[in-house]
Amino acid sequence: MKSRVLWPPVRTSAVKVALSASYCRQIVSSYYETLIDTAWRDQCETEGRQFSSPLFRLHASSLPGSCSDFRCRAGLTCSCSEDSVLVEGCNEVELRVGLSNTRESSVTRQLSVLSSDLAYIGYELHKKPQMFLANSIDVHAVFVTKDGYLPLVRSLATNRNGSIEKQASLDRTRSTSSLSSKTGSISSKTSLRAPVVLPKWSLPTGQPEPSTCNILTYKDLISRNAEEVHKELVESVFRSLHDMLGIKTPSSDPAALLALHFDKKHNNKPELLFILKSGLTSIELADIFKKSKAKNLYELAFIRSKDLKTPLNQNEKMPFCQVVERKISQSQVEAQSVGDIFKSFIKLTQKHSSVDLTKAKF
C-alpha cells in the first residue's frame, strides 16, 4: 500500500471521521478465529498481557493514490515503482473508522502465515486484502520547535528491559491512568493505561482510545458519535506530547494531518502522522521535560529539521542533539537504535523535496 504525504498538511478541523459497523474487521471463519485466539493466548503467556481492549480501526480513507496490486496491498512483496504519493492541495480528508481490538491487532499486524492467509482470502473473496486484518490506528506527533528541531523519545533502559529490539508496545491496558491533555486531570471515561513502551528513538506516539468516547461495540459506530471520535483522535496526539514530553499544550492548538503511512513491517498497519508547530525552543522544551514526570519514563533527544534530508544509511550513525546545561550538544546515534516509523518518515521527507517542516502552513 502506498503511503500518502499531504502537502500542505490538512488541518484537523478538515479531517472528518465516518463511522460504520461495516468498517470493523470482518470474521472469515471459526477456524481462523481459533488460530487468532491461540496466537493471542501464546502472546499473553509470553508477554504478560492481561486482557484485550477495543481499538479504532482504519478501514479506508478518501485520499487518492491507493495501490490496486494485491501483493502490495496485502503486505506482501510490493511491485509499485513508488511506495508513497505526494497529495497536494487537499482540502479535506475522510477517515472511515470501525473497531478492532488488542487481540486481533497483536496477531494480524505480524507478517506471518496466518495474516498472509487472511489477506489472501480477503482479496480472493472481496478484492479487499485488509478486510480480515485489524488495521488498528496509531498516531505520531511531528512537533516542530521554534528553532527547527524535532523531539524524539525512547523508554529508559529499565522500562524497556534493557532491550532495543522488542517491538514498541501500544497495548497499554495494564495499570496507570491517562491524563486529560486539557486539564491534566483523570477523566472518568479514560481507561486505565500503562505508559507506551518505545524501545527505540521515536516520535511521540499514542493511540486514540474508544473507551474515552464510549465506543465499545460495533453498535456504537453511528454517525452522531463521529464528532466524539474525531475529538479523541486529535486529543490522543496531544496526550502523547503530555505523556512523553511533559508539555501541557491544549488540544485547541493548531495541528494538521501530515501523512498516512502504512507500516510494511507490520502488515501495512496504518499510522497517522500529525504535525504541530511549537512556540517553544528546543532548550525550553528540554527544561519542561526535566521538570515533568515524563523524565522518569523516557529519554529525550532532538534532530534538526534540516538533518532529515541527510541520506539514511543503516550502517551509519544519525545526527542527533541533546540539551546539556541549557546548551545544544551534537551527538551521533546508531541507525539501529532508531524506530522504523521514524525512519520511514525520514524517507518520506527525503523523497518529496517540497516538504519543509519549518515552512508548513496550516
Side-chain angles (χ1 to χ4, degrees):
M1 298 180 77
K2 292 184 180 180
S3 297
R4 266 83 107 202
V5 179
L6 286 67
W7 198 256
V10 177
R11 196 157 178 160
T12 52
S13 58
V15 176
K16 309 301 180 183
V17 171
L19 304 178
S20 172
S22 64
Y23 297 158
C24 296
R25 174 187 169 267
Q26 303 299 304
I27 295 174
V28 59
S29 70
S30 59
Y31 170 75
Y32 280 102
E33 292 307 301
T34 299
L35 293 181
I36 290 174
D37 282 337
T38 301
W40 167 250
R41 286 197 299 271
D42 290 343
Q43 286 188 18
C44 288
E45 292 177 2
T46 303
E47 301 177 13
R49 298 179 187 270
Q50 301 199 7
F51 56 87
S52 179
S53 59
L55 298 174
F56 284 121
R57 176 182 190 269
L58 184 63
H59 173 74
S61 78
S62 61
L63 291 171
S66 61
C67 178
S68 59
D69 186 272
F70 161 67
R71 290 170 297 173
C72 175
R73 294 174 67 202
L76 306 175
T77 303
C78 180
S79 61
C80 295
S81 59
E82 303 288 344
D83 62 359
S84 65
V85 175
L86 184 66
V87 180
E88 297 182 279
C90 183
N91 295 319
E92 186 175 285
V93 179
E94 181 182 76
L95 302 177
R96 292 150 198 167
V97 176
L99 279 181
S100 180
N101 56 51
T102 309
R103 175 183 67 90
E104 296 170 348
S105 179
S106 65
V107 175
T108 68
R109 73 183 179 189
Q110 306 300 329
L111 287 175
S112 64
V113 173
L114 172 56
S115 62
S116 294
D117 279 353
L118 292 173
Y120 180 76
I121 294 169
Y123 176 78
E124 285 294 305
L125 296 182
H126 305 282
K127 303 302 179 186
K128 296 178 181 179
Q130 304 297 109
M131 185 172 186
F132 302 120
L133 303 180
N135 273 20
S136 59
I137 299 173
D138 293 338
V139 299
H140 308 266
V142 181
F143 193 61
V144 185
T145 65
K146 189 177 180 179
D147 51 347
Y149 287 80
L150 273 65
L152 302 171
V153 291
R154 178 176 69 169
S155 296
L156 293 171
T158 53
N159 295 314
R160 63 179 193 265
N161 297 322
S163 170
I164 62 170
E165 297 301 323
K166 187 178 178 182
Q167 171 64 23
S169 172
L170 288 177
D171 172 25
R172 300 181 286 146
T173 48
R174 285 194 243 183
S175 56
T176 58
S177 301
S178 300
L179 297 179
S180 165
S181 60
K182 288 186 176 179
T183 65
S185 61
I186 298 174
S187 166
S188 60
K189 296 191 293 182
T190 301
S191 59
L192 297 181
R193 297 274 167 166
V196 176
V197 177
L198 296 173
K200 300 187 179 185
W201 289 110
S202 306
L203 296 166
T205 301
Q207 266 183 344
E209 301 176 10
S211 59
T212 64
C213 38
N214 293 323
I215 306 291
L216 302 177
T217 73
Y218 70 92
K219 294 180 181 179
D220 300 318
L221 296 170
I222 51 181
S223 57
R224 70 167 179 261
N225 289 331
E227 185 176 343
E228 282 296 311
V229 174
H230 176 271
K231 180 181 176 182
E232 168 58 17
L233 181 67
V234 175
E235 288 217 1
S236 68
V237 180
F238 288 88
R239 202 160 51 231
S240 71
L241 296 177
H242 180 279
D243 292 348
M244 298 184 178
L245 300 180
I247 60 176
K248 297 180 180 180
T249 302
S251 55
S252 58
D253 279 10
L257 181 62
L258 175 63
L260 168 57
H261 173 64
F262 294 99
D263 183 2
K264 292 189 181 348
K265 291 191 176 181
H266 289 90
N267 223 6
N268 282 330
K269 198 180 84 60
E271 313 284 344
L272 299 177
L273 283 80
F274 290 85
I275 184 170
L276 307 92
K277 302 189 80 171
S278 175
L280 299 170
T281 66
S282 53
I283 292 175
E284 290 169 340
L285 177 55
D287 287 343
I288 293 172
F289 175 81
K290 290 174 184 176
K291 295 176 183 177
S292 72
K293 294 180 180 179
K295 75 178 187 302
N296 299 323
L297 298 170
Y298 301 102
E299 300 175 80
L300 175 65
F302 296 89
I303 187 169
R304 292 182 299 183
S305 176
K306 63 181 182 180
D307 287 335
L308 295 176
K309 301 295 184 179
T310 303
L312 180 63
N313 187 318
Q314 289 293 111
N315 299 319
E316 294 181 355
K317 294 186 177 181
M318 294 181 60
F320 272 33
C321 304
Q322 290 186 313
V323 175
V324 180
E325 296 182 351
R326 303 201 83 247
K327 293 183 179 180
I328 297 176
S329 173
Q330 300 288 332
S331 61
Q332 299 284 320
V333 300
E334 299 288 342
Q336 292 181 347
S337 70
V338 178
D340 291 331
I341 301 300
F342 185 59
K343 286 181 182 177
S344 297
F345 172 67
I346 292 175
K347 291 177 181 177
L348 290 176
T349 62
Q350 291 175 355
K351 177 180 176 181
H352 304 292
S353 57
S354 62
V355 175
D356 184 342
L357 301 179
T358 60
K359 296 180 180 179
K361 295 182 179 180
F362 48 88

